[in-house]
Amino acid sequence: MNPAAYVGRFAPSPTGPLHLGSLVAAVASFLDARAAGGRWLVRMDDLDRPRCEPGAAATILRQLDAYSLQWDGAVLYQSQRDEAYAAALDALRAQGAVFACTCSRSQLAQAPRNAEGETVYPGTCRLHAPPPTAHAWRVRVEEANAHFVDRIHGALRQDLANEVGDFVVRRADGLFAYQLAVVVDDAFQGITHVVRGADLLWNTPRQRYLHTLLGLPPPAYAHVPLVINAAGQKLSKQTLAPALPARGRGAVLSGALVALGHPPPAELVNADPAELLAWASAHWKIENVPMRPTIAKSAP
Ligand code: GLU
Ligand code: ZN
């Protein structure tokens, strides 16, 4: 591949400061881009305004900077992109690919769930005309088996119709859904390689389906291991993951590299982040990244 053609990204949701789990995703996408001689962009997935924390985006950018994760170009904010999402929804509507859904939460709670614990939409509203009241928009899923290749997990398959069903692209409260925004923005930013946390692995077929409907070029995917706590939960704001410490960045970054199957040599373990990243991008091999999650040591 022409290395100049590589464009990667890190797309955090600014719901709080970065923790070790989000640092692992940031470092992996950064190293994969830099090792390929590519560009690395940062996008703020601040789409779900009610979930965003004021000041978190600025904190994340400061943290990336402190870890020498230097991004290219301007940061894109999803909160500024409603027009682009609306245009994509219009394009889907024009081809009859979406329908209005008025199911309530309690109705959906009765629906079956997939292995990830998500509701499998039973098709209830497929034949209704759009009502005058607030309603969600769902994509009509006709495809049975979605095949895709992940650079770490290999060839995978999901029965999109039976394991996910028609999925939401705009919520009843008017917010556009992550699935639509990520596809529109990755295409807008010319992203060729998505490297992100394994919690999003089974979202890939939904996004590939939208690429097909919207005629957008699909990026390559790599889903890197999650960091979990001793209770087996993904590190997140909900599970009270501690923010990255302000001191001892070399050791923290070394821990992220270990989680990614790239343990640095002993003499670099406490080195400057810039030095560690230079070593890691020279040694980066995606095939050395493990599939299994890493258990974080308990917070200091
Ligand atoms: N904003 C999403 C998250 O923090 C990641 C989106 C993506 O990488 O596709 O979970
Ligand atoms: Zn419905």
Side-chain angles (χ1 to χ4, degrees), residues 3 15 19 32 44 52 92 110 166 185 200 216 224 239 287 299:
T15 54
H19 49 71
D32 201 55
M44 284 297 160
C52 292
L92 294 172
Q110 317 288 318
D166 307 324
D185 287 339
L200 296 168
L216 300 172
V224 301
T239 61
E287 55 274 27

Side-chain angles (χ1 to χ4, degrees), residues 9 11-13 43 45 178 182 194 196 199-200 207 234:
R9 50 65 158 187
S13 303
R43 182 173 76 228
D45 282 3
Y178 156 69
V182 67
V194 169
R196 62 186 177 189
D199 53 328
L200 296 168
Q207 294 167 19
K234 179 194 162 191

Side-chain angles (χ1 to χ4, degrees), residues 90-110:
D90 282 344
L92 294 172
R93 213 184 283 138
Q95 50 176 292
V98 288
F99 62 89
C101 170
T102 52
C103 293
S104 64
R105 257 172 221 271
S106 58
Q107 276 171 300
L108 292 171
Q110 317 288 318

